[in-house]
Amino acid sequence: DNQGWTAEFAIPFKSLSFDPTATSWGFNMGRSLRRFNEPIRWSNISNNVGYYDFSKSGYLSGLTGITQGLGLDVEVLGATTYKYEWDNPRQGDLRFEPSANAYYKITPSLQGTLTLNTDFSDAPLDTRQVNTGRFGLFIPETRDFFLQDASLFEFGGDALEGSANGRPFFTRNIGITNFGVADIRYGGKLSGSIGETNVAALMVQTAGIDGHVAEKTLGAARIAQPIFGRSQIGAIMTFGDPSDDDDNVLGGIDLQIRDNSLLGGRELNADFYFERSSNDGVEDDAYGFQIGSYQDDIAAWVSGKYIGQDFDPALGFVNRTGFKRINTGFRYRERPKDSDLSFWQVEVGQESRWLQNDHFDSRSMWISAGAVTKIGDEVFFSLSSDMEKIPGGFFLPDGIFVPDDTYHNWNASLHFGASAARWIAGNFNIDYGGIYGGDFFGLSGNIDIRPSPYFSFDARHNYQEFRLPNGSLRIHISSVAANINFSPDMTLTLQSEYDNISSGVGLSARYRWEFEPGHELFASIGHAANWEGRDFRSETTTGGLRIGGTFRF
């Protein structure tokens, strides 16, 4: 209207967990002024506190006479799917697959979930990656069923946050095996808190894959007990191997300390963890720590990690074993007054690794500097010096061999970013330096166009060039995505991805219409193909139509 805008939200009490006798709730709200790159919170405005931090919320008072109902939500879905294989012999498969999820609020702070024939048809395409190193790649979880309450399973705090290697529990291993996708027939989850103790448990039964792996029962449990304010001590356990018939279990304990009384009002973050895995009787350990203070003006940290040679959590993520690592860093940030800059900063750090036999393995030192304007434009420059010992040769894509040797390299990178406050934004990155006894050049960026609230478009490209003694390699990874918002209740999402190493093409279209709150129609089409030169060869086409709704009691 002529004074700005107003918004009204209607949130059913049946959709919330709460104590019906409580008359005051913790409450916070915020908004972002994109044209000024300015976030605003109703309570707890501080650059030292994350935007979604709820530790110092405000209060919503005067809540009386409200009821939650039975606290039972039942989601019923029916999906018709069609899969067509283009390889000879060409063949199609049409199926109707019902699925259901039930959510019951056992207490206001504890929820139980049951799932039957879990549906993942609305998951987006995985971000395409090409491996140019010795160790496996980490691909994040994108399935909503596992993302819900995922924070309650988090373990190790900042000591594991910065590196995926060594995670005791990684839900992507459930249903996605070394031999393909295994359907989840049924499962259960418990999440929330009992008193002040946070608890989370998950157990599922997956279908087998003919000729490779039998049906599997997989599970994980996590408990965390607050101590001394915002600090906590906890434990985790996992069991089952999704890709093998071996008996695999893991147990771990962790301690997370959050205290602002020991460093003159500055926050102290200290995290410690220990894990032990057992795979058919073969046991080994992993442990680590991180100690630091992360204020807006000054941040400093030191961290360490050890992963034993035989450490093998089948439901976790490990891409390298048999090493130990030390990492240290320092960052200074200044927010100048009466300036177009929001802040400028300088950061220095180093990381050293040793093999399990104490032989030195690698070292990296870096310095970076950058600035961010008040509207959100940014520029950063970094320079690094690296040393890496490769004990055994390995192959890059296209069969380029990297021999065992000790490699010393300098690398420089430059990053430009345009503020998301504009209708057209994006970023641009240049990398240049040495690698594996040769030269490396990288050029990547994306452009994000949002001309109206109804349409957005994002295009990305990553180019990498390796000029090595044994040959040259050029990698192109491209993706394009578009969102069309016909209304707040109706959206069409389009995605496409390609890389020249696998010559693989992925195409996806997902349409969602929530015709009334909690009830929706979802349709999807996916196509996988191989594109080499002028030869475009279709491999698999999938389509699905799903309708379902959530019924609250």
Side-chain angles (χ1 to χ4, degrees):
D1 55 31
N2 57 6
Q3 295 187 359
W5 59 269
T6 60
E8 180 176 302
F9 296 83
I11 304 174
F13 285 113
K14 287 183 178 180
S15 67
L16 302 175
S17 297
F18 61 90
D19 181 356
T21 65
T23 60
S24 180
W25 291 5
F27 183 79
N28 212 348
M29 56 184 172
R31 60 173 289 206
S32 294
L33 277 68
R34 282 295 187 186
R35 63 189 183 278
F36 302 128
N37 193 39
E38 181 181 334
I40 301 173
R41 278 194 303 266
W42 178 59
S43 176
N44 196 24
I45 300 174
S46 172
N47 287 323
N48 293 323
V49 178
Y51 186 72
Y52 296 101
D53 191 306
F54 208 73
S55 60
K56 296 181 181 179
S57 63
Y59 290 94
L60 189 65
S61 301
L63 297 167
T64 58
I66 56 177
T67 60
Q68 191 180 56
L70 296 178
L72 175 64
D73 294 356
V74 178
E75 182 183 28
V76 180
L77 304 168
T80 299
T81 62
Y82 180 74
K83 182 176 181 180
Y84 187 81
E85 299 287 355
W86 291 82
D87 292 337
N88 292 325
R90 296 187 177 187
Q91 56 184 355
D93 182 23
L94 179 66
R95 294 184 180 183
F96 175 73
E97 297 181 344
S99 62
N101 301 303
Y103 310 90
Y104 179 63
K105 298 177 178 66
I106 302 170
T107 71
S109 56
L110 185 67
Q111 176 172 279
T113 303
L114 295 176
T115 184
L116 178 64
N117 195 26
T118 317
D119 183 270
F120 299 125
S121 60
D122 55 355
L125 294 176
D126 291 325
T127 301
R128 195 170 290 260
Q129 302 181 60
V130 173
N131 195 346
T132 58
R134 293 182 287 158
F135 311 109
L137 299 174
F138 178 78
I139 302 176
E141 177 65 84
T142 60
R143 297 170 295 177
D144 285 342
F145 177 79
F146 293 113
L147 292 175
Q148 182 185 26
D149 299 325
S151 62
L152 292 174
F153 287 96
E154 290 180 358
F155 175 87
D158 292 335
L160 274 174
E161 183 68 23
S163 172
N165 190 21
R167 285 191 180 188
F169 183 45
F170 180 41
T171 55
R172 190 177 174 87
N173 287 331
I174 298 178
I176 301 177
T177 74
N178 296 337
F179 309 104
V181 176
D183 293 335
I184 296 179
R185 291 184 169 177
Y186 55 86
K189 181 163 60 173
L190 186 70
S191 56
S193 60
I194 302 175
E196 293 186 348
T197 305
N198 293 324
V199 296
L202 172 71
M203 187 170 69
V204 300
Q205 178 77 26
T206 62
I209 299 177
D210 291 343
H212 296 289
V213 63
E215 296 181 358
K216 293 289 182 177
T217 300
L218 311 169
R222 166 78 163 139
I223 184 171
Q225 175 64 43
I227 55 173
F228 313 125
R230 294 186 295 117
S231 302
Q232 69 175 29
I233 187 171
I236 194 169
M237 184 192 75
T238 70
F239 65 89
D241 189 332
S243 300
D244 207 310
D245 292 331
D246 294 341
D247 293 326
N248 189 286
V249 296
L250 174 138
I253 57 174
D254 68 333
L255 173 65
Q256 300 176 26
I257 298 173
R258 303 291 181 267
D259 190 282
N260 58 9
S261 64
L262 300 176
L263 299 176
R266 290 185 174 270
E267 180 86 0
L268 171 67
N269 290 23
D271 299 286
F272 307 89
Y273 71 88
F274 174 85
E275 308 167 71
R276 171 165 289 182
S277 70
S278 176
N279 188 44
D280 256 11
V282 178
E283 298 183 354
D284 213 335
D285 303 328
Y287 48 84
F289 72 92
Q290 177 153 316
I291 301 173
S293 180
Y294 306 96
Q295 299 296 110
D296 183 64
D297 56 349
I298 294 177
W301 63 91
V302 57
S303 68
K305 176 182 289 187
Y306 168 86
I307 298 182
Q309 187 67 47
D310 295 318
F311 182 69
D312 183 19
L315 285 184
F317 178 82
V318 174
N319 62 356
R320 184 183 184 184
T321 60
F323 76 95
K324 42 193 172 185
R325 183 208 73 187
I326 291 291
N327 177 291
T328 58
F330 175 84
R331 188 209 71 214
Y332 175 76
R333 177 180 293 172
E334 178 75 25
R335 293 186 179 271
K337 296 181 179 179
D338 302 321
S339 170
D340 290 333
L341 290 181
S342 175
F343 67 84
W344 61 265
Q345 70 176 44
V346 176
E347 180 178 308
V348 295
Q350 73 82 34
E351 180 173 296
S352 299
R353 294 176 183 262
W354 296 262
L355 300 180
Q356 195 165 327
N357 57 12
D358 292 331
H359 289 174
F360 195 70
D361 176 67
S362 62
R363 178 264 305 147
S364 178
M365 297 185 294
W366 70 89
I367 181 170
S368 70
V372 178
T373 67
K374 286 187 176 179
I375 198 174
D377 297 326
E378 60 186 31
V379 58
F380 285 88
F381 174 78
S382 66
L383 189 65
S384 67
S385 171
D386 306 306
M387 186 280 286
E388 182 179 14
K389 290 184 177 181
I390 297 181
F394 69 100
F395 286 93
L396 291 175
D398 286 355
I400 296 177
F401 183 68
V402 178
D404 57 300
D405 204 342
T406 299
Y407 298 98
H408 297 267
N409 302 299
W410 284 89
N411 297 276
S413 65
L414 184 63
H415 164 83
F416 295 97
S419 171
R422 298 185 176 89
W423 71 272
I424 180 169
N427 63 70
F428 180 72
N429 306 280
I430 304 174
D431 298 279
Y432 180 76
I435 189 170
Y436 305 141
D439 296 324
F440 171 81
F441 176 73
L443 195 63
S444 64
N446 78 287
I447 183 169
D448 184 7
I449 303 174
R450 292 169 296 154
S452 77
Y454 307 102
F455 179 77
S456 64
F457 174 85
D458 180 81
R460 299 173 181 269
H461 187 78
N462 183 356
Y463 171 73
Q464 301 174 52
E465 182 177 348
F466 297 78
R467 296 187 291 270
L468 306 181
N470 291 331
S472 296
L473 171 67
R474 292 176 176 85
I475 298 174
H476 293 271
I477 306 174
S478 301
S479 67
V480 176
N483 274 348
I484 303 172
N485 302 308
F486 302 102
S487 73
D489 307 316
M490 186 184 296
T491 302
L492 175 64
T493 301
L494 306 173
Q495 283 183 281
S496 67
E497 293 186 338
Y498 169 80
D499 76 86
N500 69 316
I501 300 303
S502 70
S503 300
V505 177
L507 303 172
S508 170
R510 305 192 309 278
Y511 169 83
R512 188 188 304 273
W513 174 33
E514 190 176 17
F515 50 87
E516 66 177 67
H519 296 72
E520 71 172 24
L521 174 70
F522 176 81
S524 65
I525 298 175
H527 187 75
N530 188 276
W531 190 4
E532 294 187 67
R534 297 183 178 181
D535 181 22
F536 185 90
R537 186 175 69 256
S538 295
E539 296 177 343
T540 305
T541 300
T542 59
L545 181 65
R546 187 185 75 190
I547 188 169
T550 299
F551 303 90
R552 294 191 168 99
F553 302 95

Coordinates of all heavy atoms in Angstrom, one line a residue, residues 194-257:
I194 N 14.0 -35.1 25.5 CA 13.3 -35.7 26.7 C 13.9 -34.9 27.8 O 15.1 -35.0 28.2 CB 13.6 -37.2 26.9 CG1 13.1 -38.0 25.6 CG2 12.9 -37.7 28.1 CD1 13.4 -39.4 25.7
G195 N 13.1 -34.0 28.4 CA 13.6 -33.0 29.3 C 14.6 -32.1 28.6 O 14.2 -31.5 27.6
E196 N 15.8 -32.0 29.1 CA 16.8 -31.2 28.4 C 17.7 -32.0 27.5 O 18.6 -31.4 26.8 CB 17.7 -30.5 29.5 CG 17.0 -29.4 30.3 CD 17.9 -28.7 31.2 OE1 19.1 -29.2 31.4 OE2 17.5 -27.7 31.8
T197 N 17.5 -33.3 27.4 CA 18.3 -34.2 26.6 C 17.8 -34.3 25.2 O 16.7 -34.7 25.0 CB 18.4 -35.6 27.3 OG1 18.9 -35.5 28.6 CG2 19.4 -36.5 26.5
N198 N 18.6 -34.0 24.2 CA 18.3 -34.1 22.8 C 18.5 -35.6 22.4 O 19.6 -36.1 22.7 CB 19.1 -33.2 21.9 CG 18.8 -31.7 22.2 OD1 17.6 -31.4 22.4 ND2 19.8 -30.9 22.1
V199 N 17.5 -36.1 21.7 CA 17.6 -37.5 21.2 C 17.2 -37.6 19.8 O 16.4 -36.9 19.3 CB 16.8 -38.5 22.1 CG1 17.2 -38.5 23.5 CG2 15.3 -38.1 22.0
A200 N 17.8 -38.6 19.1 CA 17.5 -38.8 17.7 C 17.8 -40.3 17.4 O 18.9 -40.8 17.7 CB 18.2 -37.9 16.7
A201 N 16.9 -41.0 16.8 CA 17.2 -42.4 16.4 C 16.5 -42.7 15.1 O 15.4 -42.2 14.8 CB 16.6 -43.3 17.5
L202 N 17.1 -43.5 14.3 CA 16.6 -43.8 12.9 C 16.8 -45.3 12.6 O 18.0 -45.8 12.9 CB 17.2 -42.9 11.9 CG 16.9 -43.3 10.4 CD1 15.5 -42.9 10.1 CD2 17.9 -42.5 9.5
M203 N 15.8 -46.0 12.1 CA 16.0 -47.4 11.7 C 15.2 -47.6 10.5 O 14.0 -47.2 10.4 CB 15.7 -48.4 12.8 CG 16.0 -49.8 12.4 SD 15.9 -51.0 13.8 CE 14.1 -51.0 13.9
V204 N 15.8 -48.2 9.4 CA 15.1 -48.4 8.2 C 15.4 -49.8 7.6 O 16.4 -50.4 7.9 CB 15.4 -47.4 7.1 CG1 15.1 -46.0 7.5 CG2 16.9 -47.5 6.7
Q205 N 14.5 -50.3 6.8 CA 14.6 -51.6 6.1 C 14.7 -51.3 4.6 O 13.8 -50.7 4.1 CB 13.5 -52.5 6.4 CG 13.6 -53.9 5.7 CD 14.6 -54.8 6.3 OE1 14.9 -54.8 7.5 NE2 15.1 -55.7 5.5
T206 N 15.8 -51.6 4.0 CA 16.0 -51.4 2.6 C 15.8 -52.7 1.8 O 16.1 -53.7 2.3 CB 17.3 -50.7 2.2 OG1 18.4 -51.6 2.6 CG2 17.5 -49.4 3.0
A207 N 15.3 -52.5 0.6 CA 15.2 -53.7 -0.3 C 16.6 -54.1 -0.8 O 17.5 -53.3 -0.8 CB 14.2 -53.3 -1.5
G208 N 16.7 -55.3 -1.3 CA 17.9 -55.8 -1.8 C 18.1 -55.4 -3.3 O 17.1 -54.9 -3.9
I209 N 19.3 -55.6 -3.8 CA 19.6 -55.4 -5.2 C 20.0 -56.8 -5.8 O 21.0 -57.3 -5.3 CB 20.6 -54.3 -5.4 CG1 20.2 -53.0 -4.9 CG2 21.0 -54.2 -6.9 CD1 21.2 -51.9 -5.0
D210 N 19.2 -57.3 -6.7 CA 19.5 -58.7 -7.2 C 20.9 -58.9 -7.6 O 21.5 -58.1 -8.4 CB 18.6 -59.0 -8.4 CG 17.1 -59.0 -7.9 OD1 16.9 -59.2 -6.7 OD2 16.2 -58.9 -8.8
G211 N 21.5 -59.9 -7.1 CA 22.8 -60.3 -7.4 C 24.0 -59.5 -6.8 O 25.1 -59.8 -7.0
H212 N 23.6 -58.6 -5.9 CA 24.6 -57.7 -5.3 C 24.5 -57.7 -3.8 O 25.5 -57.9 -3.1 CB 24.6 -56.3 -5.9 CG 24.9 -56.3 -7.3 ND1 26.2 -56.5 -7.9 CD2 24.1 -56.0 -8.4 CE1 26.1 -56.4 -9.2 NE2 24.9 -56.1 -9.5
V213 N 23.3 -57.3 -3.3 CA 23.2 -57.1 -1.9 C 21.8 -57.5 -1.4 O 20.8 -57.3 -2.2 CB 23.5 -55.6 -1.5 CG1 22.5 -54.7 -2.1 CG2 23.6 -55.4 0.0
A214 N 21.7 -58.1 -0.2 CA 20.4 -58.5 0.3 C 19.7 -57.4 1.0 O 20.2 -56.2 1.1 CB 20.7 -59.7 1.3
E215 N 18.5 -57.7 1.5 CA 17.8 -56.7 2.3 C 18.6 -56.3 3.5 O 19.3 -57.1 4.0 CB 16.4 -57.3 2.7 CG 15.5 -57.6 1.6 CD 14.2 -58.1 2.1 OE1 14.1 -58.3 3.4 OE2 13.3 -58.4 1.3
K216 N 18.5 -55.0 3.9 CA 19.3 -54.5 5.0 C 18.5 -53.8 6.0 O 17.5 -53.1 5.7 CB 20.4 -53.5 4.4 CG 21.4 -54.2 3.5 CD 22.3 -55.0 4.3 CE 23.4 -55.6 3.5 NZ 24.4 -56.4 4.3
T217 N 18.9 -54.0 7.3 CA 18.4 -53.2 8.4 C 19.5 -52.3 8.8 O 20.5 -52.7 9.2 CB 17.9 -54.1 9.5 OG1 16.9 -55.0 9.1 CG2 17.4 -53.2 10.7
L218 N 19.2 -51.0 8.7 CA 20.2 -50.0 9.0 C 19.7 -49.0 10.1 O 18.5 -48.7 10.1 CB 20.6 -49.2 7.7 CG 20.9 -50.0 6.5 CD1 21.0 -49.1 5.3 CD2 22.2 -50.8 6.7
G219 N 20.6 -48.5 10.9 CA 20.1 -47.6 12.0 C 21.2 -46.8 12.6 O 22.4 -47.0 12.4
A220 N 20.8 -45.7 13.2 CA 21.7 -44.8 13.9 C 20.9 -44.2 15.1 O 19.7 -44.0 15.1 CB 22.2 -43.7 13.0
A221 N 21.7 -43.8 16.2 CA 21.1 -43.2 17.3 C 22.1 -42.2 17.9 O 23.3 -42.4 17.8 CB 20.8 -44.2 18.4
R222 N 21.5 -41.0 18.3 CA 22.3 -39.9 18.8 C 21.7 -39.4 20.1 O 20.4 -39.3 20.1 CB 22.4 -38.9 17.7 CG 23.0 -37.5 18.2 CD 24.4 -37.5 18.3 NE 25.0 -36.1 18.4 CZ 26.0 -35.8 19.2 NH1 26.5 -36.6 20.0 NH2 26.4 -34.5 19.1
I223 N 22.5 -39.0 21.1 CA 22.0 -38.4 22.3 C 23.0 -37.3 22.7 O 24.2 -37.4 22.5 CB 21.9 -39.5 23.4 CG1 21.3 -38.8 24.7 CG2 23.2 -40.1 23.8 CD1 21.0 -39.8 25.8
A224 N 22.4 -36.2 23.1 CA 23.3 -35.0 23.5 C 22.7 -34.4 24.8 O 21.5 -34.0 24.8 CB 23.4 -34.0 22.4
Q225 N 23.5 -34.2 25.8 CA 23.0 -33.7 27.1 C 23.7 -32.3 27.3 O 24.9 -32.2 27.3 CB 23.4 -34.6 28.2 CG 23.1 -34.1 29.6 CD 21.6 -33.9 29.8 OE1 20.8 -34.8 29.5 NE2 21.2 -32.8 30.4
P226 N 22.8 -31.2 27.4 CA 23.4 -29.9 27.7 C 24.1 -29.9 29.0 O 23.6 -30.5 30.0 CB 22.2 -29.0 27.7 CG 21.1 -29.7 26.9 CD 21.4 -31.2 27.2
I227 N 25.2 -29.2 29.1 CA 25.9 -29.0 30.3 C 26.5 -27.5 30.3 O 26.8 -27.0 29.3 CB 27.1 -29.9 30.5 CG1 28.1 -29.9 29.3 CG2 26.6 -31.4 30.8 CD1 29.3 -30.7 29.5
F228 N 26.5 -26.9 31.5 CA 27.1 -25.5 31.6 C 26.5 -24.6 30.5 O 27.2 -24.0 29.7 CB 28.6 -25.6 31.4 CG 29.3 -26.7 32.3 CD1 30.1 -27.6 31.7 CD2 29.0 -26.7 33.7 CE1 30.7 -28.6 32.5 CE2 29.6 -27.7 34.4 CZ 30.5 -28.6 33.8
G229 N 25.2 -24.4 30.5 CA 24.6 -23.4 29.6 C 24.5 -24.0 28.2 O 23.7 -25.0 28.0
R230 N 25.2 -23.5 27.2 CA 25.1 -23.9 25.8 C 26.0 -25.0 25.4 O 26.1 -25.4 24.2 CB 25.2 -22.7 24.9 CG 24.1 -21.7 25.1 CD 24.1 -20.6 24.0 NE 25.3 -19.8 24.2 CZ 26.3 -19.6 23.3 NH1 26.2 -20.3 22.2 NH2 27.3 -18.9 23.6
S231 N 26.8 -25.5 26.3 CA 27.7 -26.6 26.1 C 27.0 -27.9 26.1 O 25.9 -28.0 26.7 CB 28.9 -26.6 27.0 OG 29.6 -25.4 27.0
Q232 N 27.5 -29.0 25.6 CA 26.9 -30.3 25.6 C 27.9 -31.4 25.5 O 29.0 -31.3 24.9 CB 25.8 -30.4 24.5 CG 26.4 -30.5 23.1 CD 25.3 -30.7 22.1 OE1 24.1 -30.3 22.2 NE2 25.6 -31.4 21.0
I233 N 27.5 -32.6 26.0 CA 28.2 -33.8 25.8 C 27.3 -34.9 25.2 O 26.1 -34.9 25.5 CB 28.8 -34.3 27.1 CG1 29.7 -35.5 26.9 CG2 27.7 -34.7 28.1 CD1 30.5 -35.9 28.2
G234 N 27.8 -35.7 24.3 CA 26.9 -36.6 23.6 C 27.6 -37.9 23.1 O 28.8 -38.1 23.3
A235 N 26.8 -38.7 22.5 CA 27.2 -40.0 22.0 C 26.4 -40.3 20.7 O 25.3 -39.8 20.5 CB 27.1 -41.1 23.0
I236 N 27.0 -41.2 19.9 CA 26.4 -41.6 18.6 C 26.7 -43.1 18.4 O 27.8 -43.6 18.8 CB 26.8 -40.8 17.4 CG1 25.9 -41.0 16.2 CG2 28.3 -41.1 17.0 CD1 26.1 -40.0 15.1
M237 N 25.8 -43.8 17.8 CA 26.0 -45.2 17.4 C 25.3 -45.5 16.1 O 24.2 -44.9 15.8 CB 25.4 -46.2 18.4 CG 25.7 -47.6 18.1 SD 24.7 -48.8 19.2 CE 23.1 -48.6 18.4
T238 N 26.0 -46.2 15.2 CA 25.4 -46.7 13.9 C 25.6 -48.2 13.8 O 26.5 -48.7 14.3 CB 26.0 -45.9 12.7 OG1 27.3 -46.4 12.5 CG2 26.0 -44.4 12.9
F239 N 24.7 -48.8 13.0 CA 24.9 -50.2 12.7 C 24.4 -50.5 11.3 O 23.4 -49.9 10.8 CB 24.2 -51.1 13.7 CG 22.7 -51.0 13.7 CD1 21.9 -51.8 12.9 CD2 22.1 -50.1 14.6 CE1 20.5 -51.7 12.9 CE2 20.7 -50.0 14.6 CZ 19.9 -50.8 13.8
G240 N 25.0 -51.5 10.6 CA 24.6 -52.0 9.3 C 25.5 -51.5 8.2 O 26.1 -50.4 8.3
D241 N 25.6 -52.3 7.1 CA 26.4 -51.9 6.0 C 25.5 -52.0 4.7 O 25.0 -53.1 4.4 CB 27.6 -52.9 5.8 CG 28.5 -52.4 4.8 OD1 28.1 -51.8 3.8 OD2 29.7 -52.8 4.9
P242 N 25.2 -50.9 4.1 CA 24.2 -50.9 3.0 C 24.7 -51.6 1.7 O 23.9 -52.0 0.9 CB 24.0 -49.4 2.7 CG 25.2 -48.7 3.2 CD 25.7 -49.5 4.4
S243 N 26.0 -51.8 1.6 CA 26.6 -52.3 0.4 C 27.3 -53.6 0.5 O 27.9 -54.2 -0.4 CB 27.6 -51.3 -0.3 OG 27.0 -50.1 -0.5
D244 N 27.3 -54.2 1.7 CA 28.0 -55.4 2.0 C 27.3 -56.2 3.0 O 26.5 -55.7 3.8 CB 29.5 -55.1 2.5 CG 30.4 -56.2 2.1 OD1 30.1 -57.4 2.4 OD2 31.5 -56.0 1.6
D245 N 27.6 -57.5 3.1 CA 27.0 -58.4 4.1 C 27.8 -58.4 5.4 O 27.5 -59.2 6.4 CB 26.9 -59.8 3.6 CG 25.9 -59.9 2.5 OD1 24.9 -59.1 2.5 OD2 26.0 -60.8 1.6
D246 N 28.9 -57.6 5.5 CA 29.7 -57.6 6.8 C 28.9 -56.9 7.9 O 28.0 -56.1 7.7 CB 31.0 -56.7 6.5 CG 31.9 -57.4 5.5 OD1 31.7 -58.6 5.3 OD2 32.8 -56.7 5.0
D247 N 29.3 -57.3 9.1 CA 28.7 -56.7 10.3 C 29.5 -55.4 10.6 O 30.7 -55.5 10.8 CB 28.8 -57.6 11.5 CG 27.8 -58.8 11.3 OD1 26.8 -58.7 10.7 OD2 28.2 -59.9 11.8
N248 N 28.8 -54.3 10.6 CA 29.5 -53.0 10.8 C 28.8 -52.2 11.8 O 27.6 -52.0 11.8 CB 29.6 -52.2 9.5 CG 30.5 -51.0 9.6 OD1 30.1 -50.0 10.2 ND2 31.6 -51.1 8.9
V249 N 29.5 -51.8 12.8 CA 29.0 -50.9 13.9 C 30.0 -49.8 14.2 O 31.2 -49.9 13.9 CB 28.7 -51.7 15.2 CG1 27.6 -52.7 15.0 CG2 30.0 -52.3 15.7
L250 N 29.5 -48.7 14.7 CA 30.3 -47.6 15.1 C 29.8 -47.0 16.4 O 28.5 -46.9 16.6 CB 30.3 -46.5 14.0 CG 31.1 -45.2 14.4 CD1 31.9 -44.7 13.2 CD2 30.1 -44.1 14.8
G251 N 30.7 -46.5 17.3 CA 30.3 -45.8 18.4 C 31.2 -44.6 18.6 O 32.4 -44.6 18.2
G252 N 30.6 -43.5 19.1 CA 31.4 -42.3 19.3 C 30.9 -41.4 20.4 O 29.7 -41.5 20.8
I253 N 31.8 -40.6 21.0 CA 31.4 -39.6 22.0 C 32.0 -38.3 21.6 O 33.0 -38.2 20.9 CB 31.9 -40.0 23.4 CG1 33.4 -40.2 23.4 CG2 31.2 -41.3 23.9 CD1 34.0 -40.4 24.8
D254 N 31.3 -37.2 22.0 CA 31.8 -35.9 21.7 C 31.5 -34.9 22.8 O 30.5 -35.1 23.6 CB 31.3 -35.4 20.3 CG 29.8 -35.1 20.3 OD1 29.1 -35.7 21.2 OD2 29.3 -34.2 19.6
L255 N 32.2 -33.8 22.8 CA 32.1 -32.7 23.8 C 32.1 -31.4 23.0 O 33.1 -31.2 22.3 CB 33.1 -32.8 24.9 CG 33.2 -31.6 25.9 CD1 31.9 -31.6 26.7 CD2 34.4 -31.7 26.7
Q256 N 31.1 -30.6 23.2 CA 31.1 -29.3 22.6 C 30.9 -28.2 23.6 O 29.9 -28.2 24.4 CB 29.9 -29.2 21.6 CG 30.0 -30.2 20.5 CD 28.8 -30.3 19.6 OE1 28.1 -29.3 19.4 NE2 28.5 -31.4 19.0
I257 N 31.9 -27.3 23.7 CA 31.9 -26.2 24.7 C 31.7 -24.9 24.1 O 32.3 -24.5 23.1 CB 33.3 -26.2 25.5 CG1 33.5 -27.5 26.2 CG2 33.3 -25.0 26.5 CD1 34.9 -27.6 26.8

